[in-house]
Amino acid sequence: MSAMDQDTGMFKVQQTIGSVLCCKCGVPMPPNAANMCVNCLRSEVDITEGLQKSIQIFYCPECGCYLQPPKTWIKAQWESKELLTFCIKRLKNLNKVKLKNAEFVWTEPHSKRIKIKLTVQAEVLNGAVLEQSYPVEYTVRDNLCESCSRFQANPDQWVASVQLRQHVSHRRTFFYLEQLILRHDAASRAIRIQQVDQGIDFFFGNKSHANSFIEFLRKVVPIEYRQDQQLVSHDVKSSLYNYKYTYSVKICPICREDLICLPSKVASGLGNLGPLVVCTKVSDNITILDPRTLRCAFLDARQYFRSGFRSALTSRQLVKYFVFDVEEPVGEATVGGQKYALSYVQIARESDLGNMFYVQTHLGQILKSGDQALGYDIYGANVNDDEMEKYRLSVKNGLPEAILIKKCYDEQRERKRGKPRAFTTKKLPMEMDESRGGRVDPEKMENEYEEFLRDLEENPELRFNISLYKNKDYQESETASMTDGEGAPTVPIEELLAELELSEEEEEGDDEEDMDE
């Protein structure tokens, strides 16, 4: 009785739910439209009648895909939401009932059986709603998909190939691009990957897979490409043509740390920038910086390939300098998350310490007296560039004697020589092709890969989009420090991923524990 009823003195009768007897077995029950209890209703009506209780599905053991008729292959992990959705869609006449719940029933993975427990609802006699659960068993049959079947019959039988090339004297761009491909799993559908001189070839079993891969490349590096096709076979009766497609992809030859002398038209289009500029970053855009004014500009692939200029000096021509004095910065700027400070520094070449001179640099925020730096010797370099020669003749005061590019940590790294790094990287399963394009020098590859690892240590922005893993052979020292001045930069442990690897013995042990349970 509520407080209001007590105040008014009224008596309220509590409502009760009555019960009736089942018309079949006489058991008391809550009333319903059929006047039957649940057990009798189920004995009279089976709402799962006409629904599929068993079905056969096809699975490709090579690529882990399931066949969605007629020709679509869907990739799904064991007992995942994608696999559950795929199994439910394969059932016919399920629209006659209302699906309330679906869940996997555990089966041995090697049994080639998938069981799902479905809970459905339907209206039965006189509008009564009946809910019932029933199992569905899927028989998994192994059947190679079209691309895997073609590869098994002949590994060289590809449909589309992407020939990725960059005409430079090193492979640092491909080392970085390899890590991006692994991070985004962009080459997972490649039938075969082959390493050649100045590039990599990717072979695909489907033209759409090659197009998707090229779209990925366009988002990470400036490229231009051309498509060619070759007729393989022709069916006259059905008018079907089979082609092999080849995509020739050319990566922009401008690399990070390159010195560029911009053509006059390009420089004027960028607000009279430079024309002596340094490339600080290459992604889908090229970031260039004037080291004497800290002005920057961005060029996309279309803008670059329209002019097609090349680097005047590359990282192969860097010279070591000793820093004797650093003046206070006269200006600061932030380009792409990287801070730069404009300063005058007194330097001398390692090969000529008696000849000291002042230059303007954008590295005033990290350089100090006693440091070493790498830069381009403009005064003594043999530059084979027409734009540089034109600029040399047009400038009254002459070109700067040197342009510093980055700080050098050779002395600090010399102390750590022979010790393993804290991180490691993965590699694509590439084959070496020595039949064409020249032979790749293993020693040169190793040295370039070492330079790439040093770039990752020095540049946090460079390793932002890739995955680095903990090195099992590395043991952290208690006296290890990570300072810019006292030691060479390293990758923090917090940025590294733990690579999970299960041995066959561990897997067998897990299977035995599951059997015991």
Side-chain angles (χ1 to χ4, degrees), residues 175-208:
F175 289 138
Y176 180 66
L177 188 58
E178 180 182 13
Q179 300 304 316
L180 289 177
I181 292 173
L182 288 170
R183 172 71 178 269
H184 297 87
D185 202 18
S188 59
R189 295 182 175 180
I191 295 177
R192 183 162 52 94
I193 305 175
Q194 197 169 64
Q195 179 178 330
V196 298
D197 186 34
Q198 294 188 338
I200 305 175
D201 291 344
F202 297 85
F203 299 91
F204 297 91
N206 197 313
K207 181 184 177 183
S208 61

Side-chain angles (χ1 to χ4, degrees), residues 128-192:
V129 178
L130 181 62
E131 183 174 301
Q132 188 173 346
S133 299
Y134 72 101
V136 180
E137 181 176 299
Y138 296 83
T139 304
V140 182
R141 301 294 184 190
D142 289 342
N143 187 21
L144 294 178
C145 63
E146 184 179 356
S147 59
C148 293
S149 178
R150 186 185 296 112
F151 178 74
Q152 288 288 342
N154 184 3
D156 295 328
Q157 195 171 7
W158 47 269
V159 174
S161 69
V162 178
Q163 298 176 351
L164 192 60
R165 299 290 184 271
Q166 186 184 32
H167 300 292
V168 293
S169 59
H170 58 82
R171 297 185 65 90
R172 288 194 302 169
T173 303
F174 289 105
F175 289 138
Y176 180 66
L177 188 58
E178 180 182 13
Q179 300 304 316
L180 289 177
I181 292 173
L182 288 170
R183 172 71 178 269
H184 297 87
D185 202 18
S188 59
R189 295 182 175 180
I191 295 177
R192 183 162 52 94

Side-chain angles (χ1 to χ4, degrees), residues 224-322:
E224 68 171 358
Y225 69 95
R226 187 189 71 190
Q227 176 186 345
D228 297 314
Q229 61 184 21
Q230 179 183 2
L231 181 63
V232 177
S233 62
H234 172 213
D235 189 351
V236 181
K237 294 183 179 179
S238 59
S239 295
L240 294 178
Y241 297 83
N242 292 327
Y243 290 96
K244 275 191 174 183
Y245 302 91
T246 301
Y247 296 87
S248 300
V249 182
K250 184 170 67 173
I251 302 178
C252 161
I254 304 296
C255 299
R256 196 173 59 87
E257 300 175 354
D258 284 0
L259 181 67
I260 307 166
C261 187
L262 295 175
S264 57
K265 290 185 178 180
V266 177
S268 61
L270 298 175
N272 292 323
L273 180 70
L276 278 183
V277 294
V278 177
C279 177
T280 59
K281 182 181 178 182
V282 178
S283 57
D284 55 339
N285 292 324
I286 303 172
T287 305
I288 53 178
L289 174 72
D290 189 343
R292 294 182 292 178
T293 62
L294 297 186
R295 292 178 58 201
C296 68
F298 304 92
L299 296 173
D300 58 18
R302 181 178 55 84
Q303 290 174 316
Y304 169 75
F305 286 107
R306 186 192 303 167
S307 55
F309 56 87
R310 295 186 64 87
S311 302
L313 294 172
T314 66
S315 58
R316 302 287 120 195
Q317 299 164 281
L318 287 173
V319 178
K320 186 182 296 185
Y321 291 88
F322 284 93

Side-chain angles (χ1 to χ4, degrees), residues 15 19 26 52 63 78-79 96 144 150 214 219 228 253 298 314 343 367 372 382 417 441 445 469 478 483 486:
Q15 295 182 355
S19 61
Q52 287 182 295
C63 60
W78 184 261
E79 293 192 353
K96 295 181 179 180
L144 294 178
R150 186 185 296 112
I214 291 177
K219 296 178 182 178
D228 297 314
F298 304 92
T314 66
S343 301
L367 291 180
Q372 297 179 5
N382 184 12
R417 175 170 291 185
D441 187 4
M445 287 275 294
Y469 300 89
E478 297 180 357
T483 57
E486 299 176 2

Side-chain angles (χ1 to χ4, degrees), residues 57-61 63-76 86 141-147 189:
I57 58 177
F58 294 96
Y59 170 76
C60 178
C63 60
C65 296
Y66 293 86
L67 176 62
Q68 177 72 43
K71 293 183 179 180
T72 307
W73 290 85
I74 300 175
K75 194 175 187 64
F86 164 76
R141 301 294 184 190
D142 289 342
N143 187 21
L144 294 178
C145 63
E146 184 179 356
S147 59
R189 295 182 175 180

